[in-house]
Amino acid sequence: MDELFDIVTEDDIVTHQAMRSVAHAQGLWHRGVHVFLFTADGKMLIQKRSADRTQYPSVWDCSVSEHVKAGEDYHAAARRGLWEELGLEGVDLRPLVRFRMNYGPNDNEISTLFRGQVEPARVRFDPVEIERVDYCRLAELRDFMQEESLPLSRWFVEMLRWSFDQPSEMKIIETHSRPR
C-alpha cells in the first residue's frame, strides 16, 4: 500500500512529502517507529512477520515496527502501530532513543524506539501482518542473535545490539534510556 511520508533531512527536519514508493525508490530519508513491549515479568513481545510481507517475510521483529505517515508525530505513529498490529490501546509509551539508519536498499529512516508494558491477554494481533507473537527475555534474544538460531529482522538486530551496549549501525540522534 502506498502512503504519503514526510521526507526529512538527516537532522530530522521535514523538507517535503512523497509517496512511500518514491521514498524507497529514491532512498529519501523518512520516519519510522519501533516499540519494545515488555510483560510485567520482563519478557519482550516479539512478532513473526507474515510470509506475505514484502520486506523480511517470516522473520521475527520487535513488538511493533511502523512508518510515520505525513503530518504524524512519532508518538502518534507508535500508538497507531500498537492498534493496527496488536489491537492495543492506552499503552504508556516512553521514548528510548531516536536514531538514523539504513534499513535496506534505498530504505533510509530516522526512527524513534519506544518502550511500554503489555498484558498478553489483551493482544489481538493482525493475522495479515503478523503470523504469531511470542515472549522472550532479553538474554534469550541476545543468545538467538549471537547464535543466529532465530531469523530476526535486520533493524531488530541493530536495536538489540544498541540495547546490549554493543556496536550498532544505529546513528544516535537522541538517547533517553536503555530497555533494561
Side-chain angles (χ1 to χ4, degrees), residues 79 82 88-93 117 122:
R79 286 192 317 269
L82 284 168
L88 295 171
E89 291 181 297
V91 175
D92 182 34
L93 295 175
Q117 189 168 339
R122 291 185 51 220

Side-chain angles (χ1 to χ4, degrees), residues 14-150:
V14 176
T15 60
H16 63 286
Q17 296 173 331
M19 298 305 289
R20 173 187 188 137
S21 58
V22 173
H24 285 173
Q26 296 179 10
L28 302 173
W29 286 93
H30 54 285
R31 293 172 169 165
V33 294
H34 304 281
V35 180
F36 283 2
L37 289 176
F38 290 91
T39 60
D41 66 348
K43 292 181 180 177
M44 184 192 296
L45 183 156
I46 61 173
Q47 62 162 279
K48 186 172 185 183
R49 295 166 63 86
S50 163
D52 297 331
R53 301 293 297 267
T54 55
Q55 198 174 40
Y56 288 87
S58 299
V59 301
W60 289 91
D61 198 356
C62 60
S63 309
V64 170
S65 290
E66 191 71 49
H67 280 104
V68 177
K69 294 181 180 183
E72 190 174 44
D73 66 35
Y74 289 105
H75 197 261
R79 286 192 317 269
R80 178 177 50 80
L82 284 168
W83 173 249
E84 290 176 359
E85 295 183 18
L86 301 174
L88 295 171
E89 291 181 297
V91 175
D92 182 34
L93 295 175
R94 291 183 304 121
L96 296 175
V97 64
R98 187 165 49 110
F99 61 94
R100 187 173 51 243
M101 189 170 73
N102 175 275
Y103 282 65
N106 286 338
D107 192 1
N108 298 307
E109 290 186 26
I110 295 179
S111 298
T112 297
L113 172 61
F114 293 90
R115 177 194 175 111
Q117 189 168 339
V118 65
E119 296 173 34
R122 291 185 51 220
V123 174
R124 302 285 182 264
F125 67 86
D126 177 359
V128 173
E129 290 197 34
I130 300 170
E131 184 176 316
R132 63 183 256 217
V133 298
D134 206 343
Y135 298 86
C136 296
R137 297 204 177 281
L138 284 173
E140 292 173 293
L141 289 168
R142 182 177 38 237
D143 292 344
F144 292 144
M145 186 179 75
Q146 291 172 343
E147 297 164 3
E148 298 181 5
S149 58
L150 188 70

